[in-house]
């Protein structure tokens, strides 16, 4: 990595550690140099050592003297750094084979279930190309994006927005817990396995990105802890949270990639966005069952599964250290200037949950009337039955589970009184 680079177009030296890059007269310079290599001249930025005709380590290490700009990670800071472009700009042979095998498996799975599917589909006047688009019987279009190497958050956002604008729901596939696409768009994580295993049909479990909604009443007998009280307290409210299959009570069956191909196209599985508790800016994208999303939206009133996230997120903000340019070529070296590892983004942890507000006692002329939210919450958490089985006791008005289809229902206490006990 380097903190300086030569701009071959303008014939200027750029200091990446300065807020104005050393050229206050060029306010658009930053946007120009951080543009994707595919959108600019690959030889626009040059290693300073190579430009000065000094030793450039890249020429003996499979790299080129041409450079690209990215955000590094050094001790929690996010400086701009210049890195050498590889001689070829393609993924490694192993990544390419994995990518191809996964794409073919998705298309073959869709065809086996009678769904329309096509590989390498251009979207929006070829602004981007989706690895595979699967079309369900109801016209739902799922754009599969297999991303087995690093992609910047802004690229994930840009390509996802482009897909949504053209009626396609993006579904990103990663194999790494640190992938930047995680939670920035609807996603799924699979195991890192040899391409031949993928092609031969070995089970591909969705390890991350698919969750189930669980609703429970916060009482002493609950197996779940309280989302509000600290320690072992119980607040008596109704809680709801999202869990990966292995952490559900009881544990849910694993979801396989074939399941997601079919369910996403038919609408049985849908994307949802869950904001972090206490923060509407950050949150998590995930795939869930249509029933779970409907209940979640009914409980909290959230109707926005794909919100427009900012292109530049908090952990992408640039740090300027205002240092002198290091003119040495650092290609292939290790030391203080090497980026910290990317943080793990897929932690399998619950989302933080939601607690239904306590409902005030309604003074209504119709004591039999309860809200839809109260019915759904009580049915799922308190009484463990579908909403249609709920009713109010004809004697005391208490919400209870209906046994049978009788018009008049009585709780155990009222029934005992009626029977003279």
């Amino acid at each position: 990595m380097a903190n300086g680079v030569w701009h071959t177009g303008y014939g200027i030296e750029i200091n990446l550690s300065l807020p104005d890059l050393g050229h206050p007269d060029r306010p658009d310079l930053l946007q120009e140099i951080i543009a994707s290599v595919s959108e600019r001249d690959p030889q626009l930025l040059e290693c300073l050592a190579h430009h000065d005709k000094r030793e450039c380590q890249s020429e003996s290490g499979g790299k080129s003297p041409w450079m690209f700009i990215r955000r590094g990670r050094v001790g929690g800071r996010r400086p701009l750094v210049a890195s050498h472009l590889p001689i070829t700009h393609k993924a490694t042979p192993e990544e390419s084979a994995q990518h191809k095998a996964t794409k073919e498996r998705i298309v073959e799975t869709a065809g086996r279930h009678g769904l329309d599917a096509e590989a390498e589909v251009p979207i929006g006047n070829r602004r981007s190309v989706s690895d595979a688009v699967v079309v369900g019987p109801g016209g739902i279009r799922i754009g599969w994006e297999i991303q087995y190497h690093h992609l910047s958050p802004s690229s994930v956002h840009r390509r996802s927005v482009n897909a949504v604008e053209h009626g396609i729901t993006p579904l990103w596939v990663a194999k790494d817990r640190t992938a930047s696409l995680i939670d920035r768009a609807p996603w799924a994580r699979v195991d890192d396995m040899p391409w031949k295993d993928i092609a031969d049909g070995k089970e591909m479990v969705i390890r991350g990105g698919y969750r189930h909604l669980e609703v429970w009443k916060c009482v002493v007998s609950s197996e779940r802890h309280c989302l509000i009280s600290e320690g072992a307290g119980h607040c008596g409210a109704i809680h709801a949270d999202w869990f990966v299959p292995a952490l559900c009570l009881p544990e849910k069956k694993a979801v396989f990639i074939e399941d997601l191909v079919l369910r996403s196209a038919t609408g049985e599985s849908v994307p949802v966005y869950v904001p972090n508790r206490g923060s509407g800016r950050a949150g998590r994208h995930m795939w869930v069952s249509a029933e779970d999303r409907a209940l979640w939206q009914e409980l909290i009133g959230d109707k926005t599964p794909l919100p427009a996230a900012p292109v530049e997120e908090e952990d992408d903000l640039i740090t300027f250290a205002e240092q002198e340019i290091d003119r040495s070529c650092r290609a292939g070296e290790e030391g203080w200037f090497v980026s910290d590892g990317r943080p793990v983004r897929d932690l399998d942890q619950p989302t933080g949950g939601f607690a239904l507000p306590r409902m005030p006692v309604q003074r209504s002329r119709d004591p039999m009337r309860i809200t839809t939210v109260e019915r759904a919450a009580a049915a799922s958490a308190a009484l463990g039955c579908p909403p249609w089985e709920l009713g109010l006791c004809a004697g005391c008005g208490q919400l209870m589970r209906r046994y049978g289809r009788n018009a008049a229902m009585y709780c155990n206490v009222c029934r005992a009184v009626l029977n003279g006990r």
Side-chain angles (χ1 to χ4, degrees):
M1 298 190 314
N3 68 351
V5 68
W6 180 262
H7 194 295
T8 61
Y10 297 146
I12 57 175
E13 188 175 272
I14 296 174
N15 187 336
L16 299 173
S17 73
L18 299 178
D20 60 7
L21 306 179
H23 299 278
D25 57 324
R26 297 181 181 273
D28 298 327
L29 184 58
L30 176 60
Q31 294 304 315
E32 292 178 20
I33 65 174
I34 65 175
S36 170
V37 177
S38 63
E39 300 172 359
R40 65 167 174 81
D41 180 0
Q43 297 185 6
L44 180 68
L45 305 177
E46 183 182 7
C47 171
L48 284 173
H50 183 268
H51 176 74
D52 294 340
K53 298 190 170 40
R54 293 180 289 107
E55 182 180 10
C56 178
Q57 303 291 336
S58 66
E59 297 172 336
S60 60
K63 300 281 187 177
S64 75
W66 314 112
M67 310 193 80
F68 69 99
I69 309 301
R70 63 184 178 86
R71 294 170 175 83
R73 290 184 183 275
V74 181
R77 295 183 295 107
R78 298 304 307 274
L80 285 176
V81 295
S83 298
H84 288 265
L85 286 167
I87 292 177
T88 60
H89 307 298
K90 299 179 180 178
T92 65
E94 174 64 18
E95 286 177 336
S96 296
Q98 286 178 320
H99 183 280
K100 181 181 178 182
T102 305
K103 176 174 59 180
E104 291 176 348
R105 184 160 170 173
I106 290 168
V107 173
E108 291 171 1
T109 298
R112 195 165 59 248
H113 288 92
L115 303 175
D116 292 331
E118 185 180 354
E120 301 299 321
V121 179
I123 301 174
N125 296 323
R126 302 194 69 86
R127 286 175 57 192
S128 61
V129 177
S130 185
D131 290 317
V133 173
V134 178
V135 183
I140 298 174
R141 303 170 70 200
I142 305 296
W144 288 78
E145 302 287 352
I146 297 93
Q147 198 67 40
Y148 286 160
H149 61 278
H150 178 67
L151 188 68
S152 70
S154 59
S155 295
V156 174
H157 174 75
R158 182 176 63 253
R159 288 169 58 177
S160 297
V161 169
N162 184 42
V164 172
E165 288 176 347
H166 290 84
I168 297 175
T169 299
L171 200 170
W172 293 82
V173 180
K175 65 179 182 180
D176 189 344
R177 286 179 177 269
T178 67
S180 58
L181 63 86
I182 291 175
D183 287 333
R184 289 187 167 104
W187 63 283
R189 182 176 63 83
V190 296
D191 290 328
D192 183 1
M193 62 175 66
W195 72 268
K196 196 170 187 312
D197 287 348
I198 299 174
D200 289 345
K202 183 177 179 180
E203 288 185 346
M204 292 184 72
V205 180
I206 304 299
R207 301 295 184 184
Y210 199 102
R211 292 181 178 246
H212 298 273
L213 178 65
E214 298 213 338
V215 183
W216 69 98
K217 187 170 184 179
C218 188
V219 294
V220 176
S221 59
S222 173
E223 296 182 76
R224 296 287 187 193
H225 65 79
C226 181
L227 298 180
I228 300 175
S229 304
E230 296 183 0
H234 297 87
C235 67
I238 304 295
H239 295 316
D241 204 352
W242 297 93
F243 297 88
V244 295
L247 297 182
C248 290
L249 297 175
E251 182 177 343
K252 300 283 188 180
K253 292 181 179 179
V255 177
F256 299 92
I257 196 166
E258 287 80 6
D259 300 327
L260 195 52
V261 170
L262 179 60
R263 295 178 191 174
S264 61
T266 59
E268 295 177 67
S269 292
V270 292
V272 70
Y273 177 79
V274 179
N276 288 345
R277 191 168 66 179
S279 171
R281 185 177 187 276
R284 299 185 186 185
H285 287 277
M286 62 187 75
W287 284 91
V288 304
S289 72
E291 293 82 2
D292 278 354
R293 189 176 79 176
L295 177 56
W296 175 257
Q297 292 175 341
E298 191 171 21
L299 293 176
I300 70 170
D302 182 10
K303 305 293 184 183
T304 312
L306 290 172
V311 174
E312 185 172 73
E313 300 188 22
E314 188 173 344
D315 62 351
D316 293 323
L317 297 179
I318 301 170
T319 303
F320 295 100
E322 302 192 25
Q323 302 169 334
E324 294 292 328
I325 291 181
D326 180 359
R327 308 185 67 82
S328 302
C329 179
R330 298 293 186 180
E333 296 184 18
E334 295 183 359
W336 63 269
F337 44 81
V338 173
S339 289
D340 297 339
R342 293 194 299 271
V344 174
R345 295 180 58 82
D346 181 12
L347 298 173
D348 290 343
Q349 296 299 310
T351 64
F354 181 84
L356 272 67
R358 293 180 179 274
M359 302 293 182
V361 178
Q362 295 189 1
R363 303 298 180 184
S364 172
R365 292 183 180 179
D366 183 3
M368 302 294 288
R369 185 175 182 179
I370 60 173
T371 67
T372 304
V373 171
E374 289 174 316
R375 287 179 63 85
S380 298
L383 302 178
C385 66
W388 60 264
E389 291 187 4
L390 292 182
L392 296 178
C393 174
C396 63
Q398 173 181 304
L399 185 66
M400 57 175 286
R401 182 171 184 173
R402 181 195 300 271
Y403 292 94
R405 298 288 184 173
N406 296 329
M409 298 185 303
Y410 295 92
C411 66
N412 290 336
V413 175
C414 292
R415 187 178 295 111
V417 172
L418 290 173
N419 293 335
R421 297 179 182 176

